Amino acid sequence: LYYLDSFVPWMDKVPFLPRATVAWVTSEATVLDQAKVLQRPIFVDFSAKWCAPCEEMNRTTFRDPRVIEKLATEWVAWKVDATFTTPDIEKILDRYRVLGWPTMIFLDMNGQEIPKSRRVGEVLSAEQLLQILDQLRK
């Protein structure tokens, strides 16, 4: 069942599997508005269902209660799902220069990328992501 989660969307409805995950915003305009209103930086996760490392992080890192809490209280969390590339998704991928998966970028509250913070092709554990989030908030 653990591996089927990558391929079967209804697996989140199975009662004995953990369901808590990050409350992602999926609209760029909403993310930018929330960041300004809340005075918070933005965490962006570029992922796709066909990306095994992305799905691993969805099953582990983004279900960790500490990560969920940190992103909910200190960041605006934006998920860009590139499973199916539409013209709008392609524009976002081009604008943020996404070349591989998973890609995680960190933006200030004005939507500008924080220098030297981008992570590409890495599967981050909850501990690693929490450490990065804490460092970038200082």
Side-chain angles (χ1 to χ4, degrees):
L1 289 175
Y2 177 81
Y3 293 105
L4 282 175
D5 187 42
S6 296
F7 304 104
V8 183
W10 49 263
M11 288 305 290
D12 277 340
K13 296 182 180 32
V14 176
F16 59 85
L17 294 176
R19 289 180 291 234
T21 188
V22 172
W24 299 104
V25 177
T26 57
S27 160
E28 183 176 21
T30 302
V31 165
L32 295 172
D33 287 344
Q34 282 187 4
K36 287 181 183 175
V37 168
L38 298 172
Q39 297 288 296
R40 292 184 187 168
I42 302 164
F43 169 71
V44 190
D45 177 46
F46 292 92
S47 67
K49 289 284 185 193
W50 44 259
C51 166
C54 302
E55 288 302 293
E56 180 178 342
M57 287 188 64
N58 285 336
R59 283 189 303 273
T60 58
T61 307
F62 297 133
R63 291 190 184 201
D64 186 290
R66 298 167 300 161
V67 171
I68 294 168
E69 177 72 15
K70 174 78 64 183
L71 290 174
T73 59
E74 297 180 22
W75 292 77
V76 177
W78 178 22
K79 166 98 57 190
V80 178
D81 184 354
T83 302
F84 303 104
T85 53
T86 65
D88 289 339
I89 294 292
E90 286 181 17
K91 286 179 190 172
I92 292 170
L93 296 176
D94 287 344
R95 182 172 31 254
Y96 291 99
R97 301 176 317 280
V98 176
L99 302 174
W101 279 260
T103 292
M104 291 163 271
I105 63 172
F106 305 84
L107 309 174
D108 65 22
M109 69 183 78
N110 297 312
Q112 300 299 310
E113 187 168 352
I114 299 170
K116 300 181 183 176
S117 63
R118 179 180 294 241
R119 300 291 191 272
V120 180
E122 296 180 52
V123 175
L124 299 177
S125 68
E127 289 76 19
Q128 290 170 313
L129 181 57
L130 289 166
Q131 184 177 25
I132 292 166
L133 293 172
D134 284 341
Q135 288 173 348
L136 294 175
R137 280 287 287 170
K138 292 179 181 177

